Amino acid sequence: MALRQRPSSRVTSIRTPGNDTTSEGSHSEDELSDLNMEELSNVDIEGKSPPLSPASPAWPTIGDVHRALRPLQAEADRVGKQVEEFAETLDRLSNDKRETPRSDCSHALRLVDGYRNIAKSTVAYLEEIHAPERQKRSSVRLGNKSRSSSRNSTHSTTTDDLEKWQQEEQTWHLLALMLQVQYPSSDTQGASSGERLVRPSQDIEINQYSSESAVWSHFLAHDDQAWERHTVVDWLKTCAEESGQDIENLIQDLEVNADRGSGLWAHSWLYTKEAIKGQKRLRSWPQALAPDSPGIDTSLRNSNQSQGLITQLDPDAVSRQDRSLELQDENFERATWLACWEMVRRGESWNSIRAWCQERVENWRAITIRGDPRHHAVKPGKAPRDPGAAAGWQSRALWRRVCAIAAQTDGMDNYEAAVYGLASGYLPSVKKVCRSWNDYLFAHYNCYQLRSFDDYIARNFSGRCPRGLQDKSGPFNVNLTGGSRVKSGNQLVILMRTLKSVGEEAKGSFKLLQGSLIGKTFDEFVKSNGGILSHALRSLSRSRKPSKFLRYLEKAKAEGKIPALIKSDDYHIIRIVTHIALIYRELGLSTSKNGHNSGVEDFIDAYINFLSMAGKQQLLPLYASSLSPERAISCMAREIRLILEHSERRTMMRLMKEYGIDLPRVLNMQLQMTMKNSEDNEEKDPGFPTLSILDSKKQGELRTIRDGFMGAAITDDQHDLINGFEWYLLLDGHWEQTLAIGAVLYTYFLKLAGSKGLAAAKEMSKRVSFSSLSLGKTKAILGQEIDVSGIYDEDEDGMQGRRSSHAHAHAHHPIGLERSGSRSMSYSQSEKERYLFKQSNTFLNLEQLILVLTALEGWQEEVDKKPSHSDLGGPVGKSWRDALRRACETVEANIQPLLHGWLLYSHDDSEARDLEQIREACLPEVLLAYTAVLNYSAQYLSRSYLLKSLELGAKVAAPDSDLAGCFVSTKRMPELVDALAVTSMNMVLAEDYGIGSKKMSPKMGLWSGKEAPSTEG
């Protein structure tokens, strides 16, 4: 199976008429060889072949997504229900495991039928809304001067939507037929409502008295190419019937010009007949007029005197006498042949055509086109008719050859010639009235089919064919193709892209797709378009401006150097191609290694991208499961960033697990690729920039903390990183991996120049705190929720040495307690808790740094609120001092972990070097800022804060201190000495403000020059 199996839960929804010959461009048909998409996809661009399969997916930020969401949401609103129905149908396929392998396509046909039924129901719904508008729109294309809006004022859908869905229904129909032709199905009854082809049996016995329809069936039974062409021709007839304009509307303009009221059955060539009768009355001539009658050339002329009229009313009078009809009758004649052309083109039976002609007293027209063996032969979805039902055993080869000769008659209306061309297979006359891709393909396949049939009769049943037809120099020798060689389906598809008449349509998405199915180049189509599509999505993900590659691509397409390609924003066709590719994979037709075609995966990836931005996130795992494991991980990593609600994240995690997608790797990949593609990388220092907390200016002798030194701006990339890390709150277990990734993120933010990552680090410490991670994960590991940040490793000497700790960090405990199973049961609860605390050391230390910086910034905010001098002694001043005291206490509480053993524990030498750089970049500035806090607070709260500042100096100077080295290596020890000197001076000079000396520390008496207050009762 192409899709990974999962439990049985289901995904739920969270032509216009013309008489002139159209130029077909400068390309001769014979100049085109049997090119294929593989060759064209390797076009050299500026001397280099661009890599079309990216090593990593396009990585727009959430901001980019929201900016692009509005037009995609509109598309999703129009196809939302159908998108979900497609997914449900595909999901059923993924769970429908076959007990025994089958060599036919029956299994996949049920899926195709499901998709076609979805399209059918959508077409039926849209036709109720837009059918009148579409008729008016067709009238505009036919030359009617009326105009209409393509959008219904009360509906969000348009006539374009109707045409798209109609083309999609036709495409699914074509796929079902081509699958049955190439991989015959044993399910002739149809497991669903879809049609099943019934090919004539090869057991049919033919003799010289068999009817021609029986010979035709024998021909289809034994010639595979003929059967395929027959199937495509019938499909083209069905398309014309379903999407063609009503015939009465089609000939409406010509009916008006015929000037005889409603209904074309009125008196045939009425105006020409009246002119002839008039001449006979003037001449008192009871017999038929002859074209050589005296004075007839001057007396019997049309109304504008430009041409002579026919003298007799038999059907071939115009061509036989080389004369014309009255203008009204010419319009009548043209309208009638246009209607006949449309009926034959749409596959109407000869009985239906005869009935139409009889109603209009034009029986002879039906008689002239009677004799096509296909009128009595097999039809798609129907059993073969009784061969004896056809009239006569004689071959109609002579009749077809006569029709071909008639189609070449000069002066004949184009549509009359086209009707004879269809009956005989004479291609040039039919091509003159082809106005669409379908018409052009129909004309060629009809010609090739009848030509092959005549050759088949001459080769196998020569007695049924008149000898004169086999004479290469005789009067019946007609080259049915007009001198061009017979082309394969793929050659015709390529040729039509170069023709002026149908070239633009041939380059449309649906015709490219249908052409690949008919030409059997779907694999190449997917490969070439998938690579370009992937490159386009990657190039346009950052800006709305095309890349240099895309600009060259458009130019190359315009010059015909490469085949037309589908557009990267045509999500309708991307959806269809994606599902067709999955069907082909289901049939085992993929030729790629391990069954994963890079082009197919590009289409699936693009469709997943559309589903994600259109709000269909719950469908993503289903389609991602059909990708290769690595591609599925990178794809899901890109898309889950849009999911922000915890409940939706839990649902997504459950679905990914059910579809076998590695969730931890997805989360890890998400963060890796966000960092890799972030614009912040341009501002990253190779090392760690020194923190800039203190203002360069001095207030007296004391430096102050800068206002808002952490900043407030958080980029889209940084938001993505924080959102991505939030997923780990919901991931059970994976303790070590989670904390390691969290440490990497903090390190990443600290590396950004100009402190541009501090605001993001602050936001991350709030949304994904160590305490919330610990409480969320320890239950799966320890059996209960515990905040291990409260554990103190007083006896762990591994926390004392930076280099030595790595050597024994994992020697006493298993790595990853959540995965150690029964082995972890040999350790006590306290040992497990200590080990978890050790694993979390780097992340927790970095979070503590951010908490200190946040506290320092908060303290400075309180300082900025200081009331005026006159208010300091009143209630306002008291309230401010209380707030300042609380802010100062917050700073003191959070800075304690940084004063001993901070970031001294590492897993390896590389991490040790990074941690040492962080210590040097952060510790001196943070401690100097702390002394500034203590000195300032002492002015308004208590001189005890000055003592704490001096105690900090004592800790730095202590023999076992790990702080002095940071000041020495960064050459900032003089700054610390100066700060302590200022503190000492303030100790001597300062007076307690608003606090009695009895509340001072006993030790403060020495520095105040007074005797310390007695503590005795």
Side-chain angles (χ1 to χ4, degrees), residues 552-604:
Y552 179 87
L553 191 63
E554 291 300 321
K555 180 180 178 182
K557 284 167 60 180
E559 295 174 353
K561 295 180 180 179
I562 61 175
L565 302 167
I566 68 171
K567 297 179 180 178
S568 59
D569 59 352
D570 191 346
Y571 295 103
H572 199 104
I573 201 72
I574 290 173
R575 171 175 53 81
I576 299 170
V577 174
T578 297
H579 289 86
I580 292 177
L582 291 175
I583 290 170
Y584 271 106
R585 184 184 290 178
E586 166 65 15
L587 287 171
L589 306 180
S590 175
T591 58
S592 304
K593 185 177 181 181
N594 299 324
H596 292 289
N597 182 308
S598 60
V600 172
E601 299 209 334
D602 289 333
F603 271 95
I604 298 173

Side-chain angles (χ1 to χ4, degrees), residues 278-286 289 293-297 299-300:
Q279 280 293 312
K280 293 177 71 174
R281 284 195 296 266
L282 288 174
R283 295 170 179 263
S284 299
W285 192 255
L289 292 176
S293 298
I296 199 69
D297 289 336
S299 60
L300 186 58

Side-chain angles (χ1 to χ4, degrees), residues 941-944 991-1005 1008 1010-1015:
L941 300 178
S942 169
R943 283 183 293 179
S944 61
E991 299 240 352
D992 272 351
Y993 186 87
I995 295 182
S997 60
K998 64 182 179 179
K999 295 183 180 180
M1000 295 168 53
S1001 168
K1003 299 179 181 179
M1004 290 292 290
S1008 64
K1010 301 178 183 179
E1011 186 176 313
S1014 173
T1015 59

Side-chain angles (χ1 to χ4, degrees), residues 48 65 68 122 124 145 226 232 275 294 373 475 495 533 550 563 606 611 683 823 845 875 877 908 984:
K48 298 179 180 179
V65 170
T122 307
K145 294 183 179 179
V232 173
L495 170 65
L533 180 64
L550 295 179
L611 291 175
E683 301 182 5
R823 180 183 177 188
N845 283 179
D908 52 44
S984 300

Side-chain angles (χ1 to χ4, degrees), residues 66-102:
H66 287 311
R67 284 188 287 272
L69 187 56
R70 182 170 298 176
L72 288 171
Q73 190 63 56
E75 172 74 11
D77 291 341
R78 288 196 292 269
V79 301
K81 177 183 177 183
Q82 291 80 7
V83 163
E84 292 169 3
E85 289 176 345
F86 267 67
E88 291 173 8
T89 305
L90 180 65
D91 193 36
R92 284 193 290 271
L93 173 68
S94 69
N95 288 279
D96 185 16
K97 299 182 71 173
R98 290 170 289 182
E99 296 180 359
T100 57
R102 298 172 64 179

